[in-house]
Each structure stands twice: as C-alpha cells, then as structure tokens.
Amino acid sequence: MDGWRAAAACREVDPDLFFPVGVGPSAVVQADEAKEVCRRCPVRAECLRWAMDDSRQVTGVWGGLTENERRSLRRRSRRTSGERR
C-alpha cells in the first residue's frame, strides 16, 4: 500500500461515497459529500497525483476532484505544456 494512504481521511468512510452513480441531483450531492471529506484530508495532493498519473483513475472522486474535473485538469495541463514549447 502507498504510504500516503495510511493518512487518508477517507479510510474511515464508506468507499461507496466516492463513487456516485449517475449524474442526477443525488449523485451531485454524493460527490459534494465526498469532496468535503477530501477537503480535510492531509494527503489530498498525493491522492490526486496517484489518481491522475499513476493509476489513471477514470471513475470516482479522488483528491477532491470528480472524473470530469480530472479530465478538464488534464486537458488544461496538456494545453499549458503545449504553449510552453
């Protein structure tokens, strides 16, 4: 197990919270609740880095971001790195 996971705030929370089903209002509320856990997490940055770089997670809330938010962040990062060339 990655060392950062031992300090994760989500260790004491039902993992299903971080995987909302659908896109309706209840899924949005669930994602917001998951993000609230992430906001108080001391290893949020490590979690997000792992989800985006190491494992390429496509579902769920990781590091305080939903799959759509992570996808947008990737696009912005690619655009920004392309502009620097």
Side-chain angles (χ1 to χ4, degrees):
M1 177 183 269
D2 296 302
W4 61 265
R5 289 186 185 197
C10 61
R11 287 183 49 93
E12 304 299 322
V13 179
D14 182 352
D16 289 341
L17 176 66
F18 298 90
F19 296 92
V21 176
V23 293
S26 62
V28 172
V29 168
Q30 185 176 342
D32 287 344
E33 290 174 5
K35 289 177 178 185
E36 184 60 36
V37 173
C38 295
R39 276 190 274 283
R40 67 176 193 267
C41 184
V43 293
R44 179 179 175 182
E46 292 87 341
C47 177
L48 181 58
R49 190 174 315 110
W50 179 85
M52 292 188 65
D53 299 337
D54 298 342
S55 68
R56 307 283 295 174
Q57 291 294 314
V58 294
T59 61
V61 174
W62 293 90
L65 299 180
T66 65
E67 51 262 26
N68 289 336
E69 293 165 336
R70 290 192 308 277
R71 198 173 307 118
S72 292
L73 182 59
R74 276 190 199 99
R75 279 195 301 269
R76 283 193 307 271
S77 294
R78 281 194 298 264
R79 226 176 297 143
T80 302
S81 66
E83 291 172 359
R84 287 189 224 146
R85 291 180 188 167

